[in-house]
Amino acid sequence: MQLLGELPLKTVQNVKNSLKFKAQEKEGVLTIRVGVRKYAVPVKARMLSGQDYLFLSFPASSELYKVSAKELAPLDKETDAADAYEALNPGKRRGRRRGGGVEMPTELAEALKNLPAGYKLGYTVDGAPKLVRTRRRSKE
């Protein structure tokens, strides 16, 4: 129930919708670093800032850019983008990676066999090795 003089509750979505066209459109707000160079992405953004809040709105779009001549150039729709796909598409990993064939030196293997049952090798703060009792977990 709303009392007299009390303002209606504004949701975040309502505020975003009302601020969208009140904000000024700015270019060059978004930058990206490719290698050692910094590029301004040619995307227009609407921004408003106040004491404790910032409103930022980008048009819903996706674009493919080519870095050339120290600038970002958007690719046309008819351009062949096979090279871009190969450069940007992450490869799929199948299964687990197996560790390389690491061989343990025989003297280290013999030293580890001499550890008493219920203990493992640990290190002190200064890096000196010490025996540490292994933790036993109860099955519940």
Side-chain angles (χ1 to χ4, degrees), residues 70-122:
K70 298 182 181 180
E71 292 201 11
L72 293 177
L75 296 176
D76 293 330
K77 291 181 182 178
E78 293 80 27
T79 306
D80 182 25
D83 293 337
Y85 182 78
E86 289 297 320
L88 298 175
N89 187 31
K92 290 185 178 179
R93 285 182 40 194
R94 299 194 187 272
R96 293 181 3 183
R97 288 188 178 177
R98 297 184 185 222
V102 179
E103 291 185 25
M104 186 181 298
T106 56
E107 53 272 356
L108 179 60
E110 290 299 319
L112 290 175
K113 284 181 186 177
N114 293 332
L115 290 177
Y119 288 89
K120 63 182 179 180
L121 188 61

Side-chain angles (χ1 to χ4, degrees), residues 17-109:
N17 289 341
S18 67
L19 290 177
K20 191 174 212 172
F21 296 107
K22 294 177 184 175
Q24 296 93 12
E25 198 170 66
K26 297 181 182 180
E27 288 190 38
V29 174
L30 184 63
T31 59
I32 188 164
R33 187 174 300 275
V34 178
V36 294
R37 298 199 51 81
K38 192 174 184 181
Y39 299 96
V41 179
V43 173
K44 294 180 181 177
R46 295 178 180 267
M47 293 179 58
L48 283 174
S49 61
Q51 187 177 2
D52 292 330
Y53 295 98
L54 170 71
F55 172 72
L56 182 62
S57 174
F58 291 105
S61 66
S62 61
E63 193 67 50
L64 190 58
Y65 297 96
K66 180 168 179 61
V67 178
S68 62
K70 298 182 181 180
E71 292 201 11
L72 293 177
L75 296 176
D76 293 330
K77 291 181 182 178
E78 293 80 27
T79 306
D80 182 25
D83 293 337
Y85 182 78
E86 289 297 320
L88 298 175
N89 187 31
K92 290 185 178 179
R93 285 182 40 194
R94 299 194 187 272
R96 293 181 3 183
R97 288 188 178 177
R98 297 184 185 222
V102 179
E103 291 185 25
M104 186 181 298
T106 56
E107 53 272 356
L108 179 60

